[in-house]
Amino acid sequence: MLVGKKVKLRAIEREDQLTFWRYNNDLEIELLSSNRPPAPVSRRETEGFFDKGIARSSPNHWFAMEADDRIIGACGLMHLDRLARTCELGIRIGERDYWGRGYGRDAVSTLVDYGFRHLNMHRIWLTTLDLNERAIRAYAASGFQEEARLRRHIWADGTLRDEVVMGLLRSDWGSCASRAD
């Protein structure tokens, strides 16, 4: 288990799948956290994702995000490249009453610390849509810098949107981590 200032990141259990299924079928959450057109997802598909990747030994490191003794989302590090020492960060807060209150930023900081200190990553990167301004601000506050913008790259909510690529180097993280406290 990883413990931040506001969140706990723990292993995902089969019982969590009903909560994640609800998030996967929430159009607003999907539009903010996905680069694919939202479509209904069955409980079987959600459980299949768990069975294929999370329950087995996987190069991905996914966590259930908890606050106030309840699941509020999920986050993780994926696409780990052990040679280049890079990975992608992903996060989804499914409980709206936890949006804009620092829980995402705390989860990102906790994951970044885990990636650099324990997985020995050199660079952590992520993508988001330009419409997710709240997430872009939170990532920037955690030290991520915009590295690329794929213009009109993703079809979302009836229009072509920019996909924003952000990254954080281990060498830059040290200065961010000392400022955070």
Side-chain angles (χ1 to χ4, degrees), residues 1-2 10 16 42 62 72 74 87 121 154 162 169 176 181:
M1 180 181 313
L2 306 177
R10 63 157 175 82
D16 301 331
S42 71
W62 279 101
I72 64 167
C87 64
M121 293 289 112
I154 301 291
D162 292 355
L169 298 177
C176 295
D181 292 332

Side-chain angles (χ1 to χ4, degrees), residues 4 7 9 28 30 46 48 53 80 86 115 119 123 139 142 146 154 160 171 178-179 181:
V7 298
L9 308 181
E28 185 178 9
E30 281 294 295
T46 302
L80 276 72
T86 64
L119 299 179
R123 177 177 176 269
Y139 299 139
S142 296
E146 184 173 323
I154 301 291
L160 285 167
S171 58
S178 63
R179 283 195 319 253
D181 292 332

